[in-house]
């Protein structure tokens, strides 16, 4: 094997080594997406391209050799740019932590990008001359400056991060190779120096540098992974702590809420007892007072005292009506109130309601007629009494003296229909819509100044619907009003007797 073949083989081996490393780290970057791998890959691409130029020089003529020499500046600057950006990223040089170094690296990176562009354009337009030599000299100085800057950065940031010191140690082969290569390159302009062994030594040092940097990247990658794990672990611990804290707060809030619910239940029970006491201990005596005032009024002759008792009786009746309405409303608002349906005797319910309004009807000489064609209804009896009480109270309130009121019931196989009809002042049949959303009472006076707010009708409507019924109103001004209540006719079957109970009845 002659000397040329040996040099060719030697250069090819190093180019192959550099190329394999370049491809390997490029594939790693495509898989892991780490910037440090990409920046290191730029160094390897530049070195591979730069050494590949020597392969082209063996069989090339002078003109081609000149082109290769022109191209070598570009490949050298690619390698230099790779070292700049790789070192800047590896040592974590930023504007915040190292503004001076950051500025120096930025300037050198712009220089390494600009020099090849100027060199290529100038060579294409003018050709290779002394100015090209000047550009190559500037490129050599830039590479040397980059080497010095990297060393200074490694020394300055030696203790900044865990793996910074290893960068400085692994930089030694590149430092020696750079010094040897640049010095030889500069001397070759002035002296005839044989560079074969110099290139061999430089190639070995660069190969060693690549191996050390590859190992260094492995440690750096492991450090990044460990830092990410630590950050993730810290985040998980903080999250677990926050979840635990929130859970304890929720448990505490739940305990407080349960305590408040118990207090509310106690208050509701107390409220229910108060409403019950009001029903028996307030409404009853007020009715008795109204009756007593009526008896006293009948015994008095036409004197000023009789006018006072009449006014007092009217006020008491208003208060009784107001108490009745409020108690009915309170009953509707009580928590836990459920519809408890039962078979009710309408004759008994009607008589009980008429007894409550006996004196109120008598005062206005109003007669109340009953037309009971349906004897029973399946309904909540307490709610039915509230419904009839409100409707009958309004009928008396808005009827003139001497009028009559008809309280009736009738039924079919499907419907039980209750009616309360008067022949008084009449009303607006759209009262349901006008009262919705109106939180303030609308005062309407009866025939002798009684006060009505409309709450009673609202409660009546709600109670009818709670018992699966419908309420309808027919009215003409000064001709009277008729309320029609329709409920499903649910006939309750009598309890069935067992065969033993049936035999006992027959035997007796």
């Amino acid at each position: 094997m002659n000397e040329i073949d040996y040099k060719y083989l030697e250069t090819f081996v190093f180019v192959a080594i550099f190329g394999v490393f370049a491809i390997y780290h490029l594939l790693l970057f495509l898989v892991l997406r780490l910037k440090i791998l990409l920046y290191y890959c730029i160094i390897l691409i530049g070195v591979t391209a730069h050494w590949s130029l020597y392969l082209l020089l063996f069989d090339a003529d002078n003109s081609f050799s000149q082109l290769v020499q022109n191209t070598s500046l570009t490949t050298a600057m690619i390698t230099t740019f790779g070292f700049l950006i790789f070192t800047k990223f590896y040592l974590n040089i930023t504007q915040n932590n190292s503004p001076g170094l950051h500025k120096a690296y930025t300037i050198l990176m712009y220089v390494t990008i600009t020099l090849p562009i100027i060199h290529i354009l100038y060579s294409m337009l003018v050709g290779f001359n002394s100015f090209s030599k000047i550009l190559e000299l500037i490129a050599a100085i830039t590479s040397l400056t980059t080497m010095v800057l990297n060393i200074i950065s490694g020394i300055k940031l030696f203790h900044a991060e865990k793996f910074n010191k290893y960068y400085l140690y692994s930089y030694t082969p590149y430092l020696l190779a750079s010094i040897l290569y640049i010095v030889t390159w500069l001397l070759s302009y002035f002296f005839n120096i044989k560079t074969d062994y110099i290139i061999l030594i430089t190639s070995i040092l660069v190969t060693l540098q690549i191996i050390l940097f590859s190992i260094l990247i492995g440690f750096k990658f492991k450090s990044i992974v460990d830092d990410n794990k630590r950050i993730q672990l810290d985040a998980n611990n903080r999250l677990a702590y926050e979840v635990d804290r929130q859970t304890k707060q929720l448990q505490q809030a739940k305990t407080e809420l349960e305590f408040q619910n118990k207090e509310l239940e106690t208050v509701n029970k107390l409220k229910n007892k108060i409403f019950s006491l009001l029903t028996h201990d307030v409404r009853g005596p007020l009715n008795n007072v109204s009756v007593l005032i009526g008896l006293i009024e009948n015994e008095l002759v036409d004197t000023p005292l009789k006018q006072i008792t009449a006014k007092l009786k009217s006020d008491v009746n208003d208060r009784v009506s107001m108490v009745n309405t409020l108690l009915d409303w309170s009953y509707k608002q009580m928590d836990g109130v459920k519809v408890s349906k039962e078979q009710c005797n309408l004759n008994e319910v009607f008589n009980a309601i008429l007894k409550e309004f006996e004196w109120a009807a008598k005062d206005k000489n109003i007669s109340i007629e009953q037309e009971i064609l349906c004897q029973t209804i399946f309904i909540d009896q307490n709610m039915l009494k509230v419904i009839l009480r409100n409707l009958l109270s309004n009928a008396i309130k808005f009827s003139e003296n001497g009028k009559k009121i008809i309280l009736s019931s009738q039924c079919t196989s499907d419907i039980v229909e209750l009616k309360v009809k008067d022949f008084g002042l009449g009303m607006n049949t759209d009262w349901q819509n006008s009262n919705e959303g109106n939180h303030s009472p609308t005062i309407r006076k009866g025939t002798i100044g009684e006060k009505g707010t409309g709450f009673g009708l609202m409660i009546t409507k709600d109670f009818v619907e709670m018992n699966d019924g419908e309420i309808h109103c027919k009215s003409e001004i000064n001709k009277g009003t008729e309320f029609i209540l329709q409920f499903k006719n649910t006939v309750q079957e009598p309890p069935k007797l067992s065969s033993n109970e049936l035999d006992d009845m027959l035997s007796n």
Side-chain angles (χ1 to χ4, degrees), residues 237-256:
N237 290 336
R238 287 195 299 270
L239 181 61
Y241 170 78
E242 187 65 22
V243 169
D244 183 63
R245 187 178 67 84
Q246 294 288 348
T247 302
K248 289 180 179 179
Q249 289 182 352
L250 289 174
Q251 290 176 346
Q252 183 179 359
K254 179 184 177 183
T255 302
E256 293 177 355

Side-chain angles (χ1 to χ4, degrees), residues 49-50 53 66-76 119-120:
H50 194 72
L53 295 177
Q66 192 65 49
L67 179 62
V68 171
Q69 290 180 7
N70 291 339
T71 309
S72 65
L73 183 144
T74 302
T75 56
H119 187 262
I120 292 172

Side-chain angles (χ1 to χ4, degrees), residues 74-323:
T74 302
T75 56
M77 288 298 96
I78 292 174
T79 307
T80 304
F81 178 82
F83 269 106
L84 285 169
I85 195 169
F86 173 81
T87 305
K88 183 173 177 289
F89 181 84
Y90 185 94
L91 298 178
N92 191 26
I93 298 172
T94 63
Q95 180 66 36
N96 296 326
N97 57 19
S98 302
L101 290 176
H102 181 270
K103 185 176 181 180
Y105 274 94
T106 303
I107 293 172
L108 283 176
M109 282 190 287
Y110 279 120
V111 172
T112 56
I113 294 172
T114 306
L115 277 176
I117 296 174
I118 296 174
H119 187 262
I120 292 172
L121 291 176
Y122 187 82
S123 299
M124 291 174 61
L125 297 175
V126 179
F128 188 78
N129 56 19
S130 58
F131 182 74
S132 299
K133 292 288 186 177
I134 295 174
L135 291 176
E136 290 177 358
L137 182 61
I138 295 174
I141 295 173
T142 302
S143 298
L144 188 61
T145 305
T146 298
M147 177 192 66
V148 175
L149 181 62
N150 288 345
I151 294 173
I152 293 174
S153 301
I155 295 173
K156 186 174 181 180
L157 303 174
F158 190 80
H159 297 291
E161 291 188 18
K162 180 179 180 181
F163 289 99
N164 284 7
K165 55 185 177 181
Y166 299 116
Y167 174 83
L168 193 61
Y169 298 151
S170 63
Y171 202 78
T172 305
Y174 175 71
L175 173 63
L176 296 174
S178 299
I179 294 173
L180 184 61
Y181 185 85
I182 294 172
V183 170
T184 303
W185 181 69
L186 290 174
L187 292 175
S188 65
Y189 279 94
F190 307 101
F191 306 100
N192 186 15
I193 300 175
K194 193 173 183 179
T195 60
D196 297 341
Y197 293 106
I198 302 297
I199 293 175
L200 176 61
I201 295 172
T202 305
S203 300
I204 294 173
L205 289 173
V206 171
T207 303
L208 179 60
Q209 174 70 42
I210 290 173
I211 295 172
L212 290 176
F213 263 19
S214 298
I215 296 172
L216 189 64
I217 288 176
F219 281 111
K220 186 69 174 180
F221 175 72
K222 184 178 182 302
S223 175
I224 293 173
V225 172
D226 292 341
D227 289 343
N228 288 338
K229 287 182 179 179
R230 179 180 53 79
I231 293 172
Q232 185 64 43
L233 182 61
D234 291 343
N236 290 340
N237 290 336
R238 287 195 299 270
L239 181 61
Y241 170 78
E242 187 65 22
V243 169
D244 183 63
R245 187 178 67 84
Q246 294 288 348
T247 302
K248 289 180 179 179
Q249 289 182 352
L250 289 174
Q251 290 176 346
Q252 183 179 359
K254 179 184 177 183
T255 302
E256 293 177 355
L257 185 60
E258 290 176 350
F259 177 75
Q260 291 176 357
N261 286 338
K262 289 181 180 179
E263 287 189 335
L264 286 175
E265 289 178 2
T266 303
V267 171
N268 283 333
K269 290 179 181 178
L270 178 61
K271 181 183 68 175
N272 294 345
K273 290 181 180 179
I274 292 174
F275 288 153
S276 178
L277 289 173
L278 284 173
T279 302
H280 294 89
D281 298 345
V282 176
R283 182 165 60 187
L286 280 177
N287 283 326
N288 294 334
V289 170
S290 177
V291 172
L292 182 60
I293 293 174
L295 293 174
I296 295 174
E297 183 183 19
N298 292 335
E299 297 297 326
L300 294 175
V301 295
D302 190 11
T303 61
L305 183 59
K306 187 171 183 178
Q307 296 178 0
I308 293 174
T309 55
K311 179 66 170 58
L312 180 61
K313 182 180 178 182
S314 175
D315 291 342
V316 170
N317 287 336
D318 287 342
R319 299 303 180 273
V320 170
S321 177
M322 182 183 68
V323 169

Side-chain angles (χ1 to χ4, degrees), residues 334-352:
M334 285 164 55
D335 293 338
V337 173
K338 297 181 180 179
V339 177
S340 180
K341 293 184 179 182
E342 58 181 316
Q343 202 72 22
C344 300
N345 188 310
L346 286 175
N347 189 45
E348 295 177 358
V349 173
F350 282 6
N351 288 331

Side-chain angles (χ1 to χ4, degrees), residues 33-57:
R33 297 293 179 179
L34 291 175
K35 290 183 178 179
I36 192 170
L37 294 173
L38 176 61
Y39 300 153
Y40 186 52
C41 191
I42 294 174
I43 298 175
L44 295 174
I45 292 172
V47 171
T48 304
H50 194 72
W51 252 255
S52 298
L53 295 177
Y54 289 105
L55 292 176
L56 300 176
L57 291 175

Side-chain angles (χ1 to χ4, degrees), residues 22-38 41 221 225:
I23 295 172
Y24 171 72
H25 286 89
L26 179 60
L27 293 175
L28 278 180
F29 166 72
L30 294 176
V31 174
L32 301 177
R33 297 293 179 179
L34 291 175
K35 290 183 178 179
I36 192 170
L37 294 173
L38 176 61
C41 191
F221 175 72
V225 172

